[in-house]
């Protein structure tokens, strides 16, 4: 009986949402920072997000989450939701039953070369590795995602 109940429960707890995650990337006009907004469909009362501490093929601990600023969350109706930071690489959002939440944060751009995983480039160009900028939902590494770039002219 335990296994019969456990399988449907795990399917609900750990399944990918039907709606895709939506990432909105907005560089500052002067390219000093970039703002990321992730809209996450909610199936429960909380959402946990994490950020890698390393880049594939580059065997050094970078702790990308340490450089994030202004991590906030709002529900689909615009209500601010509490965000806590229980671990160096993890953020916890109380959704209070919202259909979706949008988590926003700012990442400074370092204009230097030779750094993998960290932003680099000249004053008019920005290059980045996705592991250094994108949070993802804990236990959901393969959901469908839509990434949009808001590039001002």
């Amino acid at each position: 009986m335990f296994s019969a109940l456990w399988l449907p429960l795990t399917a609900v707890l750990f399944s990918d949402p039907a709606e895709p995650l939506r990432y909105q990337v907005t560089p500052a006009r002067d390219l000093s920072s970039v703002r990321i907004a992730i809209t996450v469909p909610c199936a429960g009362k909380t959402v946990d997000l994490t950020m890698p501490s390393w880049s594939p093929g580059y065997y050094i601990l970078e702790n990308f989450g340490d450089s994030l600023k202004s991590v906030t969350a709002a529900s689909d109706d615009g209500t601010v939701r509490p965000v806590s930071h229980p671990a160096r690489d993890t953020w916890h959002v109380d959704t209070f039953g919202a259909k979706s939440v949008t988590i926003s944060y700012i990442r400074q751009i370092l204009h230097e070369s030779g750094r993998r995983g960290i932003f680099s480039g000249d004053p008019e160009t920005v290059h980045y590795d996705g592991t250094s900028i994108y949070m993802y939902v804990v236990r959901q590494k393969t959901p469908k995602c839509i990434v949009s770039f808001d590039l001002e002219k």
Side-chain angles (χ1 to χ4, degrees), residues 14-17 21 136-137 139-145:
F14 301 113
S15 64
D16 290 343
L21 298 177
Y136 63 91
V137 178
R139 291 186 296 276
Q140 291 186 17
K141 290 188 179 180
T142 60
K144 293 178 183 176
C145 298

Side-chain angles (χ1 to χ4, degrees), residues 10 33-34 40 42 65 83 102 124 136:
T10 57
S33 64
V34 66
V40 179
C42 299
V83 178
T102 299
E124 297 178 1
Y136 63 91

Side-chain angles (χ1 to χ4, degrees), residues 98-110:
K99 292 180 182 178
S100 67
V101 291
T102 299
I103 296 88
S104 299
Y105 53 92
I106 296 172
R107 174 78 196 271
Q108 295 302 118
I109 295 173
L110 302 175

Side-chain angles (χ1 to χ4, degrees), residues 38-57:
I38 309 166
T39 301
V40 179
C42 299
K45 295 182 181 178
T46 64
V47 172
D48 290 323
L49 295 106
T50 191
M51 180 170 260
S53 296
W54 53 273
S55 291

Side-chain angles (χ1 to χ4, degrees), residues 12-33:
V12 170
L13 290 176
F14 301 113
S15 64
D16 290 343
E19 291 291 316
L21 298 177
R22 296 182 182 276
Y23 290 82
Q24 180 70 37
V25 181
T26 308
R29 178 166 264 170
D30 65 356
L31 299 181
S32 63
S33 64

